[in-house]
Amino acid sequence: MSEQTKISQAENALEAVQHAVDQAESHPSDQKIEEAERAMRHTQASVQQAQDAGGDRADQLQQQVRQERAELGGTNE
């Protein structure tokens, strides 16, 4: 798979996790938080694959994943 394809997949996964985190923040429930955590695991794996393929964009995506993880952590409190 090309580097660009892996980046695109990681970007799509990041969009999905952002939505899941937003849902968990606006409707905090065990189910929404679990959905967001599941999306986070998927996104992390996708971003890791993009990083393995190389490219600066993958590093930017990793930073965005960290931000989403921090927001989700606030939901669990």
Side-chain angles (χ1 to χ4, degrees):
M1 204 176 302
S2 74
E3 174 187 331
Q4 189 59 40
T5 301
K6 289 185 185 231
I7 294 292
S8 294
Q9 288 176 338
E11 289 172 336
N12 291 339
L14 183 61
E15 286 181 28
V17 84
Q18 288 169 333
H19 177 73
V21 170
D22 288 346
Q23 288 293 307
E25 289 178 324
S26 64
H27 302 92
S29 69
D30 290 343
Q31 180 183 357
K32 292 294 182 184
I33 292 169
E34 177 56 36
E35 288 172 9
E37 289 173 349
R38 191 174 22 250
M40 186 69 67
R41 288 188 297 271
H42 171 77
T43 300
Q44 185 60 55
S46 185
V47 169
Q48 185 61 53
Q49 288 180 349
Q51 284 184 305
D52 292 347
D56 292 337
R57 179 69 180 130
D59 292 337
Q60 294 169 349
L61 291 171
Q62 181 62 39
Q63 181 58 33
Q64 289 178 281
V65 169
R66 285 188 198 110
Q67 291 171 347
E68 292 300 324
R69 187 177 303 280
E71 285 185 38
L72 182 59
T75 304
N76 288 328
E77 293 175 0

